[in-house]
C-alpha cells in the first residue's frame, strides 16, 4: 500500500522591503513676492522723466554711454530696443546680426536717441564685440581709449592692432561730451554659466581701467526669456524668478559689478510692435544709467 506523495514545503514568506521615503518636493521656481519693485503701470511717466532730463552741466548737450560685450550678447539690439521705446515702433538703426557668430559692428559710431523730433540728452556708442582670440574682436585697449574719448567717430576697428596716437582714428584732447560717462556691459543670461574665460578676463581688465578713470559701470543682462520659462510667459515674473536672480548673482561675481547696478531686460527681437512691460524694464534700466552718468558729469565740473 503506497503512501501519499509528500509536497515540498514552501519557503517562509519574507517581509517586503520598506518603501523608499518620498522625494522631497522641488522648491518653487519663484519667490512669493518680487525682490525688486517695478512700476509696471508707469511707462509714460518714466518716458517723460527721461525726455525732460536736465544734465548737471548746462554746457554739455548729452552724456555718452559706451556699450560693450561678447559677440552675440545683444549690444546693438539693446540700443535698438531703447530707441524703439521712444519711437514707439521697432527700430533697427544699430545693425545687428543673429547668424554670423562674429561681430557685426565694425566701426565706432554714436547713436542718438530721439523722441519725435527731440534728441534726448544721452547717446550710445556701439563697439566691436569682444572675442576669446586675440586676433578677433575689439582690442581692450581700444575700449579704454573710447572711455577717454580718444576714438574718432567712424574709426574702423582693427582686431590685430589697437589705435594709437597719430593714427587717423585717434582723437587728441577730447572735449567733455566726447568722453564716456557710463560703461555698460551686455551679458546674455543664457550664456553666463558658459562665458568664455578669455572674454571675462578682458572684461575684468576693462573694468579695472574704467574704475581707475572713476567711470560708473552697469550690467544689462539680456535674453532673460531664453533662460526662464516663467519670464518667457510673463515678463512681470522677472523679479520673482529665482533663476533670473541666480544669473544676476553670477554676473556680479564674474565682473565685479554690484547687484544694485545689474538690470535684467528683454530686448526686442522677434516682435513687430513695442510692449509696455518690455518698455518699463528698459526704461528703468536706462533711468539708472542716465542718473549715474549725470552724477559722473557733475563730478568733472
Amino acid at each position: 500500500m503506497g503512501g501519499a506523495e509528500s509536497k515540498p514545503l514552501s519557503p517562509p514568506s519574507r517581509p517586503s522591503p520598506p518603501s523608499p521615503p518620498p522625494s522631497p518636493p522641488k522648491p518653487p521656481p519663484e519667490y512669493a513676492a518680487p525682490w525688486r519693485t517695478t512700476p509696471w503701470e508707469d511707462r509714460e511717466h518714466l518716458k517723460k522723466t527721461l525726455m525732460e532730463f536736465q544734465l548737471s552741466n548746462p554746457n554739455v548737450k548729452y552724456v555718452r554711454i559706451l556699450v560693450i560685450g561678447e559677440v552675440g550678447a545683444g549690444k546693438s539690439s539693446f540700443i535698438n530696443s531703447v530707441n524703439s521705446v521712444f519711437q514707439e515702433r521697432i527700430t533697427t538703426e544699430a545693425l545687428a546680426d543673429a547668424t554670423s557668430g562674429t561681430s557685426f559692428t565694425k566701426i565706432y559710431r554714436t547713436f542718438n536717441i530721439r523722441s519725435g523730433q527731440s534728441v534726448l540728452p544721452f547717446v550710445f556708442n556701439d563697439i566691436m564685440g569682444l572675442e576669446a582670440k586675440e586676433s578677433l574682436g575689439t582690442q581692450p585697449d581700444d575700449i579704454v581709449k573710447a572711455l577717454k574719448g580718444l576714438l574718432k567717430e567712424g574709426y574702423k576697428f582693427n582686431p590685430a592692432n589697437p589705435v594709437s596716437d597719430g593714427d587717423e582714428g585717434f582723437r587728441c584732447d577730447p572735449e567733455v561730451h566726447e568722453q564716456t560717462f557710463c560703461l555698460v556691459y551686455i551679458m546674455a543670461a543664457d550664456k553666463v554659466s558658459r562665458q568664455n574665460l578669455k572674454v571675462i578676463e578682458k572684461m575684468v581688465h576693462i573694468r579695472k581701467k574704467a574704475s581707475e578713470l572713476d567711470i560708473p559701470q552697469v550690467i544689462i543682462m539680456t535674453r532673460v526669456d531664453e533662460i526662464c520659462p516663467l519670464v518667457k510667459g510673463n515678463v512681470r515674473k522677472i523679479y520673482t524668478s529665482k533663476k533670473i536672480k541666480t544669473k544676476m548673482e553670477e554676473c556680479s561675481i564674474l565682473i565685479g559689478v554690484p547687484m544694485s547696478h545689474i538690470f535684467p531686460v528683454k530686448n526686442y527681437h522677434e516682435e513687430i510692435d513695442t510692449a509696455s512691460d518690455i518698455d518699463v524694464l528698459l526704461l528703468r534700466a536706462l533711468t539708472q544709467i542716465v542718473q549715474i552718468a549725470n552724477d559722473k558729469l557733475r563730478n568733472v565740473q
Side-chain angles (χ1 to χ4, degrees):
M1 180 176 175
E5 186 177 345
S6 62
K7 295 181 179 179
L9 296 175
S10 301
S13 60
R14 296 181 179 179
S16 300
S19 300
S23 300
K26 290 183 178 180
E30 59 181 320
Y31 298 104
W35 61 272
R36 186 182 280 179
T37 58
T38 306
W40 296 110
E41 311 304 329
D42 288 353
R43 174 180 176 272
E44 293 307 314
H45 174 71
L46 291 167
K47 274 184 65 178
K48 186 173 184 290
T49 299
L50 284 164
M51 289 165 59
E52 297 176 352
F53 195 87
Q54 298 292 315
L55 296 180
S56 57
N57 185 338
N59 297 318
V60 177
K61 291 184 178 180
Y62 51 78
V63 286
R64 187 174 300 274
I65 300 158
L66 181 63
V67 180
I68 72 169
E70 188 175 16
V71 169
K75 297 183 287 77
S76 300
S77 294
F78 174 67
I79 295 171
N80 285 332
S81 296
V82 169
N83 197 41
S84 297
V85 174
F86 291 97
Q87 292 293 318
E88 298 187 359
R89 61 181 177 84
I90 302 300
T91 65
T92 55
E93 187 175 352
L95 296 179
D97 181 23
T99 59
S100 69
T102 58
S103 182
F104 203 64
T105 303
K106 304 297 183 185
I107 64 172
Y108 186 68
R109 183 180 172 190
T110 299
F111 293 93
N112 295 100
I113 304 299
R114 301 175 184 274
S115 179
Q117 299 301 313
S118 301
V119 179
L120 303 188
F122 45 88
V123 299
F124 287 95
N125 274 105
D126 198 2
I127 203 163
M128 194 176 193
L130 292 164
E131 298 198 37
K133 291 184 178 180
E134 295 299 325
S135 59
L136 297 174
T138 189
Q139 290 280 349
D141 285 349
D142 273 347
I143 294 177
V144 175
K145 289 182 176 69
L147 293 173
K148 297 177 180 179
L150 299 176
L151 293 189
K152 287 183 179 179
E153 183 78 5
Y155 163 67
K156 187 173 182 179
F157 295 104
N158 182 349
N161 294 297
V163 69
S164 59
D165 191 356
D167 290 345
E168 184 178 351
F170 188 88
R171 175 190 288 121
C172 297
D173 300 322
E175 297 182 23
V176 172
H177 70 271
E178 293 167 332
Q179 302 169 33
T180 296
F181 286 88
C182 184
L183 173 61
V184 176
Y185 306 88
I186 305 293
M187 300 187 72
D190 58 335
K191 297 180 180 179
V192 171
S193 298
R194 46 193 174 90
Q195 192 88 47
N196 188 285
L197 291 180
K198 290 291 185 181
V199 173
I200 291 298
E201 287 174 4
K202 290 181 178 181
M203 286 188 177
V204 171
H205 170 76
I206 294 163
R207 170 164 169 72
K208 180 180 177 182
K209 295 297 183 181
S211 297
E212 290 173 358
L213 296 169
D214 199 29
I215 295 173
Q217 297 152 65
V218 163
I219 291 176
I220 294 293
M221 193 175 78
T222 61
R223 297 172 62 86
V224 291
D225 52 323
E226 297 296 325
I227 200 68
C228 179
L230 288 172
V231 175
K232 193 174 186 68
N234 183 358
V235 173
R236 293 194 180 197
K237 297 278 189 181
I238 200 160
Y239 288 122
T240 60
S241 167
K242 292 181 178 180
K243 185 170 286 188
I244 295 298
K245 189 174 185 183
T246 296
K247 292 299 175 184
M248 291 172 64
E249 290 167 346
E250 289 181 34
C251 288
S252 179
I253 292 169
L254 284 173
I255 307 300
V257 172
M259 286 284 283
S260 60
H261 280 47
I262 301 177
F263 304 95
V265 303
K266 182 186 183 318
N267 285 339
Y268 285 112
H269 172 58
E270 57 189 8
E271 296 81 5
I272 60 173
D273 297 298
T274 59
S276 180
D277 288 349
I278 296 174
D279 285 358
V280 167
L281 287 176
L282 291 163
L283 288 165
R284 283 276 279 174
L286 182 60
T287 298
Q288 295 299 314
I289 290 169
V290 172
Q291 286 177 344
I292 64 175
N294 190 49
D295 290 341
K296 168 64 177 174
L297 175 63
R298 182 180 295 109
N299 292 333
V300 300
Q301 293 183 53

